[in-house]
Amino acid sequence: MGDKNEGDVSSNSEGVTEIPLQDVVKIDDKRNSIKSESANVKDAEIAVTTDKKIPQTISNFETMAHLLKGNIGTGIFSLPSAFLNAGLWVGFGMFPIIAIVCVHCMQMLVKCAAVMKRRDANFSISYAGTAEMACRTGQPQYAKYARAFGITVNVFICLKHFGACVVYLVFTSTNLQAVIEYYTDIRWNVRIYMCILTIPLIFLNWIRNLKLLAPVSLFANVLQMSSIVVVFYYIFRDPLPPTNSVPAFGSWGGVPLFFGTAIFSLETITLVLPLQKDMRRPWDFKGWTGILNTGMTIVTCIYIAMGFFGYLQYGEEIEGSITLNLPQDEVLAQVVKILLVVAICGNYAVQFYVPIPIMWPTLSKYAARYTKNDFAAELAFRTFMVLVTLLLAAAIPKIDLVVSLVGAVTGTFLALILPPILEYVTCAPNISKSILTKDIVILVFGIVGFVTGTYSTILAIVQEFTG
């Protein structure tokens, strides 16, 4: 057929369908199967037979919607406080740099997963699976680290999601406390609200079927997006002060805190592979103007707008969550807080769902020694982990500090430290000096961010509760 582009499809005389695409096979929507002996893909090889049921795929628009929905979360409400730590213009300059590095690391993961698919057509795409497969199929000296690399990725994925649950519990409790204290004379400690909210969360997290959580997630996302719009309304309702009304630079100690919050907001690297895998046109995901770059550019602009203008509007009085700065005497503002409490409880269940399939299969073997009822044992484990998030939230009931700590510890590893290591293991020994240098720079950037962000956040926590 002449020169072949990424979208070209050709068939030879033997009935073999050749589809030179990246990562997956392009499947005609009108056909239920493709009869073939092999499929040659630029970055992957997938054989599809008439006996294999074609999975349901999603359009580019749906992929973009999922990408935006998965990235714009609770962290956005803590960004004005992060800009307070870094300073208005320092935060304005640092955030896009951090975003560019994070998105590049996402692209690195997508590329490495494509290489693993080329090496093994039966490879099941995931972050941990890509890390393990890279060691097994790469240089012989790395094979012995394959299982450890995969386990490391899974550990940080679990920590990230449980950490997000801690953030959500602190966020909902703080906002619920603000509403109740305004309308009543109740003056309970925020930890009491955490205990109260934990009760429905325990039952909500007993749901083991993801399909049952889908309506909860959809409802939560609608409420959260609506609340973000209302927050922007309050930011721009009154004239903004001049930019020189707040410091351009916060403090050196505040920069690592800003880094942790920014990483928490931007770290959704575990989302990219499942999204691309389910796409109808997966080759549109990558590239300079692909869905990933376009979507993350939109997300970054929304985040910068919230952080920059939120801090500019409320100045030094900005709270750990900007929702606490909304006018207390206006019903709309109070309704937003209540809606966010409901929405974040739904998001808590979705976040909580992710690490359970990773942890429980291994733990169930030990549980079987004490009980034959695997269902009851799993519910007990789920209840225990909800109580663990309660203990952690009660220990650090400051939304901005919890966000920064979770971002600095878990987000930095998943988004900045592990991807360059993965790319090196995948490409070695045929890795160019420029790529090696780039990977080293990103790795050092991630390590410095992890060390300084974690240290500064822990120091701020100690000062907060001892000073």
Side-chain angles (χ1 to χ4, degrees), residues 443-465:
L443 181 62
V444 172
F445 178 66
I447 292 174
V448 171
F450 165 74
V451 173
T452 58
T454 304
Y455 172 79
S456 297
T457 306
I458 292 177
L459 183 62
I461 291 172
V462 172
Q463 292 175 347
E464 177 71 26
F465 295 105

Side-chain angles (χ1 to χ4, degrees), residues 25-168:
V25 177
K26 180 180 180 182
I27 302 172
D28 191 334
D29 295 334
K30 299 180 180 179
R31 301 170 65 185
N32 294 325
S33 62
I34 298 176
K35 191 175 182 179
S36 64
E37 296 176 0
S38 65
N40 299 321
V41 188
K42 182 178 180 182
D43 288 330
E45 295 181 10
I46 305 176
V48 183
T49 67
T50 54
D51 296 328
K52 186 174 181 180
K53 192 174 182 181
I54 298 176
Q56 185 178 5
T57 55
I58 58 178
S59 66
N60 286 4
F61 177 80
E62 291 173 314
T63 304
M64 178 67 77
H66 285 303
L67 184 66
L68 296 176
K69 179 182 67 176
N71 276 275
I72 301 176
T74 312
I76 190 173
F77 300 112
S78 294
L79 285 175
S81 175
F83 272 69
L84 168 67
N85 291 322
L88 186 67
W89 291 109
V90 171
F92 182 80
M94 283 185 61
F95 197 91
I97 295 174
I98 296 173
I100 290 171
V101 177
C102 286
V103 174
H104 178 69
C105 287
M106 294 178 187
Q107 296 280 13
M108 289 162 56
L109 177 60
V110 171
K111 182 183 73 173
C112 291
V115 174
M116 296 307 109
K117 197 68 179 180
R118 183 173 67 241
R119 293 176 182 177
D120 183 359
N122 296 319
F123 168 65
S124 180
I125 296 176
S126 68
Y127 195 165
T130 301
E132 186 169 346
M133 181 65 72
C135 291
R136 292 192 188 280
T137 60
Q139 294 295 288
Q141 62 267 31
Y142 301 134
K144 60 183 178 181
Y145 302 111
R147 180 169 172 76
F149 199 3
I151 291 175
T152 299
V153 173
N154 275 334
V155 166
F156 279 100
I157 289 175
C158 292
L159 290 175
K160 177 240 179 179
H161 284 279
F162 281 130
C165 289
V166 175
V167 171
Y168 292 171

Side-chain angles (χ1 to χ4, degrees), residues 222-245:
V222 170
L223 293 181
Q224 184 166 286
M225 294 301 175
S226 302
S227 300
I228 291 173
V229 172
V230 173
V231 171
F232 272 117
Y233 160 74
Y234 277 110
I235 289 176
F236 293 109
R237 186 182 64 174
D238 300 324
L240 291 170
T243 55
N244 59 6
S245 63

Side-chain angles (χ1 to χ4, degrees), residues 186-254:
I186 297 175
R187 296 296 181 268
W188 289 344
N189 187 285
V190 69
R191 294 175 177 87
I192 297 178
Y193 292 95
M194 292 179 184
C195 294
I196 294 173
L197 287 172
T198 298
I199 296 174
L201 287 176
I202 288 175
F203 294 105
L204 184 61
N205 285 283
W206 279 2
I207 299 176
R208 303 164 72 230
N209 191 333
L210 186 59
K211 290 183 179 179
L212 297 177
L213 283 177
V216 176
S217 176
L218 177 61
F219 182 64
N221 285 321
V222 170
L223 293 181
Q224 184 166 286
M225 294 301 175
S226 302
S227 300
I228 291 173
V229 172
V230 173
V231 171
F232 272 117
Y233 160 74
Y234 277 110
I235 289 176
F236 293 109
R237 186 182 64 174
D238 300 324
L240 291 170
T243 55
N244 59 6
S245 63
V246 293
F249 174 71
S251 65
W252 287 108

Side-chain angles (χ1 to χ4, degrees), residues 74 78 162-178 189-195 197-198 201 264 320-321 323-324 337 340-341 344-345 348 386 388-406 461 465:
T74 312
S78 294
F162 281 130
C165 289
V166 175
V167 171
Y168 292 171
L169 188 52
V170 176
F171 182 91
T172 53
S173 302
T174 305
N175 281 271
L176 183 60
Q177 180 191 40
N189 187 285
V190 69
R191 294 175 177 87
I192 297 178
Y193 292 95
M194 292 179 184
C195 294
L197 287 172
T198 298
L201 287 176
F264 178 87
S321 170
T323 55
L324 301 176
K337 296 175 186 176
L340 279 174
V341 169
I344 301 306
C345 284
Y348 181 107
V386 173
V388 169
T389 63
L390 169 62
L391 292 175
L392 293 174
I396 316 172
K398 292 284 293 182
I399 181 66
D400 52 337
L401 297 181
V402 176
V403 167
S404 182
L405 182 62
V406 173
I461 291 172
F465 295 105

